[in-house]
Amino acid sequence: LPTSKFARLGDWLIDGWRSNHMLLDALERLSLDTNETTSFAAPNDLEMEIVHASNVRGGIRWTADVGQRYTLFGSAVGAAHLATLPGTTIRSMYARAQRLPPERGPIASLPVVLACVQQARKDGYAYAVGALHKEVAALGAMIPVDAGPRALYVAIGGPRDRFEPRRAMIEARLRLFLNEVRAQ
């Protein structure tokens, strides 16, 4: 069995925000207010990795699993992350991602990715459908505070059929979350 040192191995990645109870409480309230799954994700080269999740119970839900990874190219938090990078870097990363196995590569074309990135730069958050499952819609945004050694992103996701009719309300609640975090 691994020693206790193994448990500390990844602590440096998340200690900056894990001990921030205000941030964790705000994520929990976001989940309860939207009645959708919320998560924190961090970039990991060509993918985003879920580092914390608040899964709502009951009914049909999308469930986020800590450690789950998904592509930057077609996901909401991926677009939010890419919006922080220059276009030349995005194109270079996309070219590398195309060489990955299909299950790990881009799920959207480069023009679609670039359009989503432009929209994310304009709105301050991104919207996407189908990154983790073809029927899951999500919003993603960068956490506007220093969260440690890696940038941290918030995602709200749920079944598309339920999410899309409520999208304006969920977007408004996401903006409130970002303002609340920024004010702390």
Side-chain angles (χ1 to χ4, degrees):
L1 294 174
T3 68
S4 61
K5 287 183 180 181
F6 182 77
R8 291 191 349 238
L9 182 64
D11 282 352
W12 68 272
L13 293 174
I14 55 177
D15 270 348
W17 63 265
R18 186 170 48 182
S19 61
N20 184 335
H21 295 289
M22 184 282 306
L23 197 56
L24 293 171
D25 290 346
L27 183 73
E28 186 67 25
R29 283 191 306 278
L30 180 63
S31 183
L32 292 172
D33 289 351
T34 60
N35 200 32
E36 297 294 355
T37 295
T38 58
S39 62
F40 288 141
N44 191 336
D45 192 27
L46 301 174
E47 298 175 310
M48 296 300 288
E49 179 179 0
I50 297 173
V51 296
H52 183 80
S54 181
N55 293 307
V56 178
R57 299 193 196 298
I60 297 173
R61 304 277 174 226
W62 167 66
T63 302
D65 296 317
V66 172
Q68 187 175 14
R69 292 183 180 185
Y70 47 95
T71 182
L72 290 173
F73 307 101
S75 66
V77 290
H81 173 61
L82 292 172
T84 68
L85 304 174
T88 54
T89 302
I90 295 169
R91 286 177 179 81
S92 173
M93 291 172 72
Y94 190 89
R96 281 194 309 123
Q98 286 184 301
R99 295 190 294 270
L100 293 172
E103 66 276 3
R104 292 189 52 223
I107 60 169
S109 69
L110 184 57
V112 169
V113 168
L114 293 174
C116 191
V117 165
Q118 280 302 105
Q119 192 66 44
R121 288 177 178 150
K122 178 180 169 240
D123 296 339
Y125 56 87
Y127 176 75
V129 175
L132 292 172
H133 184 279
K134 66 181 181 172
E135 294 301 322
V136 172
L139 290 169
M142 184 175 191
I143 301 290
V145 295
D146 182 15
R150 295 193 292 174
L152 192 62
Y153 296 81
V154 61
I156 307 167
R160 177 200 305 194
D161 291 345
R162 183 179 65 235
F163 195 97
E164 286 186 344
R166 301 171 53 240
R167 180 176 165 187
M169 180 279 294
I170 296 171
E171 287 175 349
R173 184 57 183 89
L174 175 61
R175 285 191 296 276
L176 183 66
F177 167 86
L178 296 171
N179 288 333
E180 178 183 346
V181 169
R182 194 176 289 116
Q184 296 297 322

